[in-house]
Amino acid sequence: NAGVTQTPKFQVLKTGQSMTLQCAQDMNHNSMYWYRQDPGMGLRLIYYSASEGTTDKGEVPNGYNVSRLNKREFSLRLESAAPSQTSVYFCASSVQLPGQGAGETQYFGPGTRLLVL
Amino acid sequence: RKEVEQDPGPFNVPEGATVAFNCTYSNSASQSFFWYRQDCRKEPKLLMSVYSSGNEDGRFTAQLNRASQYISLLIRDSKLSDSATYLCVVIPMDSSYKLIFGSGTRLLVRP
């Protein structure tokens, strides 16, 4: 099993450009998440999808959109990139059975490093 | 005030030393607590859960103090391979889907 995969690994954008970050998991997990990590800030939740067909905002959703394409795939779209979106983006997934906490079973992808000029 | 606060470090210790990190959280209703480990330029990985009764996994011991709202991680007999950033994670009572991450404590173990 590959676990959680993310593409691309690196990306440079100009202000105003758009792009989609792709994430896929092969562990048959129900829940998927997008985080960003900035120096000194820790990981912050952008959006999450508790199950196929549902998405919800996290702590910092402005400037982003998501699509839960199917159970395996959860994409993150930047419609008009801004320098403030320069960050490392991590996708994660978890089994999230009813009554089960998210942290114990959350698996992260290798990350996408994004630079917006 | 941040919901989860950690000393950023770095903690610079010799091999074999014992080192401890604390993490404080602001929401007294938080339900679950974890330590994640993150190597340089890599993704976070779950290190261990933190239970009220405390738990131990080899050289690692995690403790929770609900009254004072902090969790701790103790590493005994430090190895070079323990060098990493340790992230404190809290799950709030109102949502089991959302993890609140601390900004991490960096540990450097020197020969």
Side-chain angles (χ1 to χ4, degrees):
Chain A
N1 286 353
V4 180
T5 58
Q6 292 183 235
T7 56
K9 287 188 169 54
F10 304 95
Q11 184 71 48
V12 179
L13 292 178
K14 294 181 180 178
T15 296
Q17 288 185 314
S18 62
M19 78 162 295
T20 299
L21 282 65
Q22 307 286 353
C23 174
Q25 51 91 9
D26 61 3
M27 297 175 282
N28 200 35
H29 285 173
N30 296 313
S31 301
M32 298 184 74
Y33 310 79
W34 275 105
Y35 294 89
R36 60 178 288 173
Q37 186 174 34
D38 303 294
M41 298 291 292
L43 282 90
R44 292 181 292 169
L45 183 64
I46 304 172
Y47 271 93
Y48 67 100
S49 171
S51 60
E52 186 179 356
T54 69
T55 61
D56 286 285
K57 295 179 180 179
E59 182 185 355
V60 288
N62 291 347
Y64 305 95
N65 285 301
V66 290
S67 294
R68 183 75 183 265
L69 304 169
N70 47 56
K71 192 170 186 180
R72 290 187 64 248
E73 298 172 288
F74 188 38
S75 63
L76 178 72
R77 182 158 178 85
L78 286 69
E79 290 290 352
S80 179
S84 61
Q85 294 178 304
T86 293
S87 189
V88 180
Y89 291 86
F90 288 102
C91 176
S93 71
S94 67
V95 172
Q96 196 63 39
L97 297 174
Q100 186 178 51
E104 196 137 16
T105 56
Q106 197 157 121
Y107 298 88
F108 285 80
T112 294
R113 283 167 174 74
L114 176 65
L115 173 63
V116 183
L117 301 174
Chain B
R1 182 185 172 187
K2 290 183 181 178
E3 288 190 71
V4 178
E5 296 203 63
Q6 295 183 251
D7 180 341
F11 285 64
N12 192 324
V13 303
E15 267 189 295
T18 296
V19 62
F21 315 131
N22 279 348
C23 163
T24 58
Y25 60 95
S26 60
N27 186 345
S28 60
S30 299
Q31 58 172 317
S32 301
F33 308 87
F34 305 89
W35 284 103
Y36 273 69
R37 170 191 169 129
Q38 186 173 24
D39 292 304
C40 188
R41 302 182 72 79
K42 298 287 188 180
E43 70 273 21
K45 293 183 179 178
L46 179 67
L47 178 66
M48 61 196 305
S49 305
V50 187
Y51 304 123
S52 297
S53 55
N55 52 305
E56 189 173 311
D57 183 2
R59 298 181 293 107
F60 298 83
T61 300
Q63 298 275 0
L64 167 64
N65 185 318
R66 283 194 182 271
S68 300
Q69 293 181 213
Y70 74 86
I71 67 173
S72 63
L73 179 67
L74 179 78
I75 306 175
R76 289 181 297 278
D77 189 22
S78 298
K79 311 292 185 192
L80 294 177
S81 57
D82 294 334
S83 295
T85 296
Y86 292 84
L87 307 175
C88 170
V89 179
V90 173
I91 297 181
M93 183 65 76
D94 62 343
S95 173
S96 62
Y97 293 100
K98 298 180 184 178
L99 277 64
I100 310 296
F101 284 81
S103 53
T105 296
R106 192 165 169 222
L107 172 65
L108 299 173
V109 181
R110 63 182 188 271

